[in-house]
Amino acid sequence: MPRLRLALAQTNPVVGDLVGNAAQIVQAARAASEAGADVLAVGEMALSGYPIEDLASRPSFLATASRAVATLAESLQDEGLGDLVVIVGHPDGPWEPRLLGTSNAPTAIAQNCASVLQNGRVEARYAKHHLPNYSVFDEYRVFIPGDDLLVLRIKGADVALIVCEDLWRDGGPLGRVLEADAGLLVVINASPFERDKDEVRVPLVTRRAVETNTTVAYVNIVGGQDDLVFDGDSVVVDGTGAILARAPQFAEHLLVVDLDLPDANPDADLPGNVQRVSLQVPERALGHLAAEVTQLPDDNEQLWNALVLGLRDYVRKNGFRSVILGLSGGIDSAVCAAIAADAIGADHVHGVSMPSQWSSDHSRSDADDLADNIGLHYSTEAIAGLVEPVETQLALTGIAAENLQARMRGVILMAKSNMDGHLVLTTGNKTELSVGYSTIYGDSVGGFAPIKDVPKLLVWELARWRNAAAAARGETPPIPEGSITKPPSAELRPDQTDQDSLPPYELLDAILDAYITRSLGRDDVVALGFDAETVDFITTLVDRSEWKRRQGAIGPKISGMAFGRDRRLPITYRPTE
Amino acid sequence: MPRLRLALAQTNPVVGDLVGNAAQIVQAARAASEAGADVLAVGEMALSGYPIEDLASRPSFLATASRAVATLAESLQDEGLGDLVVIVGHPDGPWEPRLLGTSNAPTAIAQNCASVLQNGRVEARYAKHHLPNYSVFDEYRVFIPGDDLLVLRIKGADVALIVCEDLWRDGGPLGRVLEADAGLLVVINASPFERDKDEVRVPLVTRRAVETNTTVAYVNIVGGQDDLVFDGDSVVVDGTGAILARAPQFAEHLLVVDLDLPDANPDADLPGNVQRVSLQVPERALGHLAAEVTQLPDDNEQLWNALVLGLRDYVRKNGFRSVILGLSGGIDSAVCAAIAADAIGADHVHGVSMPSQWSSDHSRSDADDLADNIGLHYSTEAIAGLVEPVETQLALTGIAAENLQARMRGVILMAKSNMDGHLVLTTGNKTELSVGYSTIYGDSVGGFAPIKDVPKLLVWELARWRNAAAAARGETPPIPEGSITKPPSAELRPDQTDQDSLPPYELLDAILDAYITRSLGRDDVVALGFDAETVDFITTLVDRSEWKRRQGAIGPKISGMAFGRDRRLPITYRPTE
């Protein structure tokens, strides 16, 4: 029974940075080699970052990426790591476009590949067969599907290789894994986090392992890339469904596991569309390694970690060193400040209190307390003297005057960003974005929206969780109790509260969940038992604020239906329903 | 030889407005019937509007749309139009999702259909086979492809029916048109305008007509829908390649043509996947109709008309009655004002001059002249007294102080919009957007960007064209000569011109065309003969301003590669090339 030592590396690539990403892979290979591994697998597109979007349609990018694969193989050899079998994901091309009749339409010229590197060479290559084109994925737009299955014979065991979506769908290469009777199936992935996805992903891996009676090794990238956060959570499951190894979420990590695999049948007829490549690896005398099996933390901690990594990587990968945000004393800005401090350190977080005549005493004191608790840089800019000349010159009243206050705060934050180079964070939550309860070019200004995909009720829940986690570690809870318990208010006029304009958040978030996350129509939402008039009011607000959302900052997706590339709806829309 | 009188109606649907769009179709059917037509065809998705994006994944929307088709058939019958064969495009569903193994991924539940209505019933239905999933199209995301070809036998002639992309691709239903030996091929379309597309589309129709020796009738919708402008330009070409009829661009229109078609062979064996439906139409004693063959206007007039319709329909379909924009005296705001006046009338256009201490005398006088020439509503708001308190309180200098001026202008326009309900237009051109030469939340504020897809050189060309067109009609040219001839300047500091920060526009637009429109990489752009340092400077600006473009207003696509859903690239991106 062949024993293979397999290493799975969760690297954190930056889209486009072929040199930097390759260096991460070389570093992982060195660690894998030192751990005595025979085979190292890194994630889907670990060499290019993921998703590369329409870079996949740029011939020069593909040519550069293809050269980078060969260069990586040579670098591994040069570093004395040539013995190690390294499986790496990358785009490949440019291929001749699939011709579309007389159309001059652009068409895919790339494949989504896993290459097998050893001894300074690319020994074999697999192209992803099933191309996801739903949710946040547009792979059918930019990739040509592959058709063959690749089986590597290593140490007398057969190792099949597929990419991400190939595991999720029946038929195609997965159907041939059974026929090929491989002992190990390696799946490389770029699978973004969303809430409860671990409840789908690991059961899927387990089911596939049992169905095919094959050990399945699943490796995922980590890190934030624009609105996606890749969570790692790589896992190895054997043919009985037992979890042999599992890596932590949201961290670069090398998972090493010893696998006792069935002997390959050297005389087996391979089914059609299966390519087999034999690779020699040196025999090593190593004892059995006890693999780690990381337990996932609870739901709120996972969500918090996703938000922290999403923000940290946006800041880091885009060359920022600090962030700035308005601190209103309310819950949203408090949670954003706490996320930012966890992501990049309080010393890189700048909070600005911008009180107006309508700001309550408790707002100012809650903002002060937040700044103290977290230890961030804190300043105050009163807006009355800036707002008054505009209000007077333009004779503004009502909503126009209210929005002016929010816009002047936006002007202040952007001016400070322009002076000092901070990234501006916008602190709107998903509930606000859903119904357009914000001032465009006012509180919406900023390059990143940390809680864009967090509904209001969940903002409160995460605040309580974060405070409790601090208390459990003997630290000061960051978020003032007043920010959590007081009625939410925009404080743009005297004694205003959110509930002057909106239903209670418990009701609002429930309707939004039905209409947005579950894509139910107006009638179907009413059929759940909600008041028809309230449903009409809310769904109309959602439809009419699409134009604002289109102009909003990106932020990390943590739900099954985030605004942005996940939910694509027209601005111009007259609902009949 | 059967003679068929065919009517093609260019309707202008609003996405979602099933009732209003159906009323347009009934109106077209009445006109077609009065003109003695046997068959009326309207465009792809004329009943729902196009593109419906992820509405196609909402079961309740599909169910409502499906009911609307039956209701439309009944309405036509009720109106005494039941004899007329009406071919109408619409989404159909919800179908059972195609099951994707164990995946819980959302998947298509709709088809993109053409239904044949007569005598109050849906007599036949065709589902689009080829689903475009490139450029601005995401049909593979939301639609299930059809497989059958539909042939209608009417007056002894065979009429085949396909949808849009089916005409562009070899194989599929188009391949079966030849086998089925139909005399007429009706293609319903939702094909957005782009520059020079008529040089591809009509030759394609002609080539298909000749290849299949079949008369091809091509009907397209018209109107603006968010960032797309559908141009109509419906055409009928016979099997020799002769254009029998052609409708005007950018206008709702009914094109009626008499077609002498070959007799259907009643004994012909139909190829597989072809359904044949016989329809009876009343014999009418009518003379031969001379069909119109509209000549397209020149390129600049087409572009201008596209921009005008794009703006008009955004205003109208979103319930606005007026627009407001800043008038700087420069060429961009002048062209936007002229487009707006052509679109909705000068009486609905509000221009605001917002001079600062750096505004030149000619800027103010050019803005005054523009307002006079066009006859729009004009007001002046000096910004010095509004900017000074902010600049002083925040101690702003340099870029921060320059941006503050632009942002205060944005505050003024949004405040006036909030007071009076105007749609704010943002006047940035494509060149500025490409390199990020604008102030986010400043001159970029607004709900619609009329010249977003117009590069700077083309802005000047269109200005000259529009003035010449006015002069040729004996009207006052709208755009002041000074706005066209003076060196462009943002006027945010003394004696500033655009060329302090950017290469000459001739060079800049050429590099941007290579990098953006043609998707060349940095090395390939340099290989065209441009200075490497300049190319690096420009491509870096383009890459780094993606975050600003993501937060920009939508505007009409007129090029082969518009910003927005046409060009999808990451914000977080470290180029290696």
Side-chain angles (χ1 to χ4, degrees):
Chain A
M1 181 168 268
R3 169 169 293 181
L4 203 68
R5 183 164 287 182
L6 173 69
L8 304 178
Q10 298 182 169
T11 65
N12 186 343
V14 179
V15 164
D17 187 11
L18 299 162
V19 173
N21 299 338
Q24 289 182 13
I25 296 166
V26 171
Q27 190 179 8
R30 192 174 299 116
S33 178
E34 284 165 6
D38 301 301
V39 176
L40 166 71
V42 298
E44 180 183 14
M45 295 278 174
L47 186 57
S48 60
Y50 184 89
I52 58 172
E53 307 188 47
D54 287 358
L55 290 172
S57 302
R58 195 181 285 181
S60 61
F61 177 79
L62 296 172
T64 307
S66 294
R67 282 195 301 274
V69 182
T71 304
L72 173 60
E74 289 159 17
S75 302
L76 291 165
Q77 176 82 352
D78 293 346
E79 297 276 329
L81 303 166
D83 287 341
L84 186 68
V85 174
V86 176
I87 298 168
V88 57
H90 63 90
D92 189 52
W95 293 67
E96 283 295 308
R98 284 172 300 186
L99 291 175
L100 300 181
T102 54
S103 167
N104 68 340
T107 182
I109 54 171
Q111 290 196 308
N112 180 335
C113 288
S115 281
V116 182
L117 315 183
Q118 199 192 31
N119 301 319
R121 292 188 304 273
V122 179
E123 294 286 357
R125 182 163 290 171
Y126 171 83
K128 187 176 187 177
H129 182 103
H130 290 298
L131 302 175
N133 206 69
Y134 52 80
S135 177
V136 298
F137 305 107
D138 285 300
E139 290 203 10
Y140 190 81
R141 174 181 173 90
V142 294
F143 292 123
I144 304 168
D147 199 26
D148 294 341
L149 179 67
L150 176 64
V151 175
L152 307 172
R153 181 155 294 172
I154 306 173
K155 278 185 163 178
D158 274 352
V159 180
L161 178 57
I162 61 175
V163 178
C164 207
E165 191 80 2
D166 293 331
L167 187 75
W168 293 75
R169 312 239 196 144
D170 292 326
L174 193 64
R176 292 194 283 270
V177 169
L178 250 180
E179 297 180 70
D181 200 22
L184 172 64
L185 175 63
V186 173
V187 195
I188 68 169
N189 304 273
S191 178
F193 174 78
E194 62 185 57
R195 193 176 189 173
D196 300 331
K197 198 166 189 178
D198 59 295
E199 291 173 19
V200 178
R201 204 195 268 154
V202 172
L204 171 80
V205 173
T206 304
R207 181 168 149 186
R208 292 310 198 189
V210 172
E211 277 173 2
T212 56
N213 190 30
T214 305
T215 299
V216 177
Y218 179 103
V219 58
N220 192 14
I221 60 172
V222 290
Q225 169 63 35
D226 286 353
D227 51 342
L228 303 181
V229 185
F230 299 91
D231 57 333
D233 195 15
S234 301
V235 68
V236 181
V237 178
D238 75 14
T240 71
I243 294 181
L244 303 183
R246 189 169 187 176
Q249 281 183 316
F250 304 116
E252 295 179 63
H253 192 80
L254 189 76
L255 185 70
V256 184
V257 60
D258 281 341
L259 302 173
D260 294 314
L261 301 176
D263 287 305
N265 177 354
D267 306 319
D269 280 340
L270 283 179
N273 295 32
V274 179
Q275 184 200 3
R276 185 163 54 205
V277 175
S278 290
L279 301 171
Q280 305 304 318
V281 296
E283 286 299 325
R284 294 183 183 85
L286 292 164
H288 186 81
L289 192 83
E292 67 196 305
V293 180
T294 307
Q295 297 296 314
L296 284 192
D298 74 17
D299 198 32
N300 286 330
E301 185 170 347
Q302 289 188 42
L303 292 169
W304 189 268
N305 291 342
L307 298 173
V308 166
L309 182 57
L311 174 56
R312 179 191 301 140
D313 276 0
Y314 187 84
V315 168
R316 185 176 63 82
K317 293 180 179 180
N318 286 287
F320 291 98
R321 298 165 53 107
S322 55
V323 301
I324 190 169
L325 74 170
L327 299 184
S328 69
I331 185 68
D332 296 329
S333 56
V335 166
C336 286
I339 291 168
D342 285 357
I344 59 172
D347 197 39
H348 300 277
V349 179
H350 297 254
V352 187
S353 169
M354 296 175 281
S356 77
Q357 60 195 117
W358 312 124
S359 297
S360 57
D361 290 341
H362 62 74
S363 286
R364 300 184 209 200
S365 64
D366 285 338
D368 295 351
D369 290 349
L370 175 76
D372 279 350
N373 294 346
I374 291 180
L376 48 73
H377 299 275
Y378 187 55
S379 60
T380 299
E381 298 289 353
I383 65 169
L386 312 181
V387 164
E388 192 277 330
V390 183
E391 197 172 299
T392 303
Q393 178 171 325
L394 300 175
L396 301 183
T397 56
I399 293 284
E402 292 183 23
N403 281 338
L404 171 62
Q405 300 168 55
R407 293 205 175 101
M408 198 56 76
R409 292 185 174 117
V411 164
I412 292 169
L413 292 176
M414 290 308 297
K416 287 178 174 281
S417 166
N418 287 158
M419 290 296 286
D420 300 325
H422 312 304
L423 169 69
V424 178
L425 301 181
T426 174
T427 62
N429 62 63
K430 188 177 193 175
T431 306
E432 279 180 10
L433 280 168
S434 299
V435 294
Y437 193 74
S438 65
T439 300
I440 190 165
Y441 321 125
D443 45 308
S444 72
V445 310
F448 199 76
I451 58 172
K452 175 177 188 174
D453 199 30
V454 186
K456 189 76 175 186
L457 295 182
L458 185 56
V459 175
W460 277 308
E461 189 176 330
L462 290 177
R464 288 191 203 94
W465 172 84
R466 181 64 183 82
N467 276 358
R473 289 195 295 262
E475 298 166 0
T476 307
I479 297 158
E481 198 56 27
S483 297
I484 300 178
T485 53
K486 68 186 171 190
S489 168
E491 295 194 335
L492 296 174
R493 59 175 184 264
D495 301 323
Q496 182 183 28
T497 77
D498 292 5
Q499 272 52 68
D500 298 345
S501 315
L502 297 172
Y505 278 112
E506 287 72 15
L507 177 59
L508 180 53
D509 276 1
I511 292 174
L512 292 173
D513 182 65
Y515 188 59
I516 293 171
T517 314
R518 296 169 60 195
S519 290
L520 298 182
R522 179 264 182 207
D523 290 351
D524 293 338
V525 178
V526 172
L528 293 176
F530 296 106
D531 170 62
E533 203 175 320
T534 307
V535 170
D536 286 338
F537 175 66
I538 298 303
T539 58
T540 301
L541 287 178
V542 173
D543 294 343
R544 292 200 182 155
S545 49
E546 181 62 25
W547 78 279
K548 282 193 195 179
R549 285 189 292 273
R550 291 283 190 96
Q551 295 193 30
I554 61 168
K557 167 182 162 77
I558 59 161
S559 78
M561 182 65 81
F563 292 124
R565 73 178 112 193
D566 207 0
R567 181 178 189 266
R568 304 182 192 175
L569 286 171
I571 294 172
T572 302
Y573 169 46
R574 269 189 215 151
T576 300
E577 295 176 85
Chain B
M1 182 170 266
R3 170 170 292 182
L4 203 70
R5 184 162 287 184
L6 174 69
L8 305 178
Q10 299 182 168
T11 64
N12 185 344
V14 179
V15 163
D17 187 10
L18 299 162
V19 173
N21 299 337
Q24 290 182 13
I25 296 166
V26 171
Q27 190 179 3
R30 192 175 301 115
S33 179
E34 285 164 6
D38 301 301
V39 176
L40 167 70
V42 297
E44 180 183 13
M45 295 277 175
L47 186 58
S48 59
Y50 184 89
I52 58 173
E53 308 189 45
D54 287 358
L55 289 171
S57 302
R58 197 182 284 179
S60 61
F61 177 79
L62 295 170
T64 306
S66 294
R67 282 195 302 273
V69 182
T71 303
L72 173 60
E74 290 159 17
S75 302
L76 290 164
Q77 175 83 352
D78 293 347
E79 297 278 328
L81 304 166
D83 288 340
L84 186 68
V85 175
V86 176
I87 298 168
V88 57
H90 63 90
D92 188 53
W95 293 67
E96 283 294 307
R98 284 171 297 186
L99 291 175
L100 299 181
T102 54
S103 170
N104 67 340
T107 183
I109 56 173
Q111 289 196 310
N112 180 335
C113 287
S115 281
V116 182
L117 315 182
Q118 200 193 28
N119 301 319
R121 291 188 304 274
V122 179
E123 294 288 356
R125 181 162 292 169
Y126 171 82
K128 187 178 189 177
H129 182 102
H130 291 296
L131 303 174
N133 206 70
Y134 52 81
S135 177
V136 299
F137 305 108
D138 283 301
E139 291 202 10
Y140 190 81
R141 175 181 171 91
V142 293
F143 291 124
I144 304 168
D147 198 25
D148 293 343
L149 179 67
L150 177 64
V151 174
L152 307 173
R153 181 157 294 174
I154 306 173
K155 281 187 164 179
D158 275 352
V159 179
L161 178 57
I162 61 176
V163 179
C164 207
E165 190 80 2
D166 293 332
L167 187 73
W168 293 73
R169 311 240 195 143
D170 293 324
L174 191 65
R176 292 194 283 272
V177 170
L178 250 180
E179 297 180 71
D181 201 22
L184 172 64
L185 175 63
V186 173
V187 195
I188 68 169
N189 304 274
S191 178
F193 174 77
E194 61 186 56
R195 194 176 191 174
D196 301 330
K197 198 166 190 178
D198 59 295
E199 292 175 19
V200 177
R201 205 194 268 153
V202 173
L204 172 79
V205 173
T206 304
R207 179 167 152 186
R208 293 310 197 189
V210 172
E211 277 173 1
T212 56
N213 190 29
T214 305
T215 299
V216 177
Y218 180 102
V219 58
N220 192 15
I221 59 172
V222 289
Q225 167 64 35
D226 286 353
D227 51 343
L228 302 181
V229 186
F230 299 93
D231 57 333
D233 194 16
S234 301
V235 67
V236 181
V237 178
D238 74 13
T240 71
I243 294 181
L244 303 182
R246 189 168 186 177
Q249 281 183 316
F250 304 117
E252 293 179 64
H253 193 80
L254 189 76
L255 184 71
V256 185
V257 60
D258 280 341
L259 301 173
D260 294 315
L261 300 175
D263 286 306
N265 175 356
D267 306 320
D269 280 343
L270 284 179
N273 295 32
V274 179
Q275 185 199 3
R276 185 162 55 205
V277 174
S278 290
L279 302 171
Q280 306 302 320
V281 297
E283 286 299 325
R284 294 183 181 85
L286 291 165
H288 187 81
L289 193 83
E292 67 194 307
V293 180
T294 307
Q295 298 297 314
L296 285 192
D298 74 17
D299 197 33
N300 286 329
E301 185 169 349
Q302 290 187 42
L303 292 169
W304 189 269
N305 291 341
L307 298 173
V308 166
L309 183 57
L311 174 55
R312 179 192 300 139
D313 276 1
Y314 188 84
V315 168
R316 185 176 64 82
K317 293 180 179 180
N318 286 287
F320 291 99
R321 300 165 53 104
S322 55
V323 300
I324 190 168
L325 74 169
L327 299 184
S328 68
I331 186 68
D332 296 328
S333 56
V335 166
C336 286
I339 292 169
D342 285 356
I344 61 173
D347 197 39
H348 299 277
V349 180
H350 297 255
V352 187
S353 169
M354 296 175 282
S356 76
Q357 59 194 120
W358 312 124
S359 297
S360 57
D361 290 342
H362 63 74
S363 288
R364 299 184 208 198
S365 63
D366 286 339
D368 295 350
D369 290 350
L370 175 77
D372 278 351
N373 294 347
I374 292 180
L376 46 74
H377 299 276
Y378 187 55
S379 61
T380 299
E381 298 291 350
I383 64 168
L386 312 181
V387 164
E388 193 276 331
V390 183
E391 197 172 301
T392 302
Q393 179 171 327
L394 300 175
L396 301 183
T397 56
I399 292 284
E402 292 183 24
N403 282 338
L404 171 63
Q405 299 168 54
R407 292 204 175 101
M408 197 57 75
R409 293 186 174 116
V411 164
I412 291 169
L413 291 176
M414 291 307 299
K416 287 178 174 282
S417 166
N418 287 158
M419 289 297 285
D420 300 326
H422 313 304
L423 169 68
V424 177
L425 301 181
T426 173
T427 62
N429 62 64
K430 190 178 192 175
T431 307
E432 278 180 11
L433 281 169
S434 298
V435 293
Y437 194 73
S438 65
T439 300
I440 191 164
Y441 322 125
D443 46 307
S444 73
V445 309
F448 199 76
I451 57 171
K452 175 177 187 172
D453 199 28
V454 185
K456 189 77 176 187
L457 295 182
L458 185 56
V459 175
W460 277 307
E461 188 176 331
L462 290 176
R464 290 193 202 93
W465 173 84
R466 180 64 184 80
N467 277 359
R473 289 195 297 262
E475 297 166 2
T476 306
I479 298 158
E481 198 57 25
S483 296
I484 300 178
T485 53
K486 68 187 172 190
S489 167
E491 296 194 334
L492 296 173
R493 60 173 182 264
D495 301 323
Q496 182 182 30
T497 78
D498 292 6
Q499 272 52 67
D500 299 347
S501 314
L502 298 172
Y505 278 112
E506 287 72 15
L507 176 59
L508 180 53
D509 276 1
I511 293 174
L512 293 173
D513 182 65
Y515 188 60
I516 293 170
T517 313
R518 297 168 60 194
S519 290
L520 298 182
R522 179 263 181 208
D523 290 350
D524 293 338
V525 178
V526 172
L528 294 176
F530 297 106
D531 170 63
E533 204 176 318
T534 307
V535 171
D536 287 338
F537 175 65
I538 297 304
T539 57
T540 301
L541 287 177
V542 173
D543 294 343
R544 290 200 183 153
S545 49
E546 179 62 25
W547 78 278
K548 282 193 193 178
R549 285 190 292 273
R550 290 280 190 96
Q551 296 193 29
I554 62 167
K557 168 184 162 78
I558 58 160
S559 77
M561 183 65 81
F563 292 124
R565 73 178 110 192
D566 208 0
R567 181 180 189 265
R568 304 182 190 174
L569 286 172
I571 294 173
T572 303
Y573 170 46
R574 268 188 215 153
T576 300
E577 294 176 86

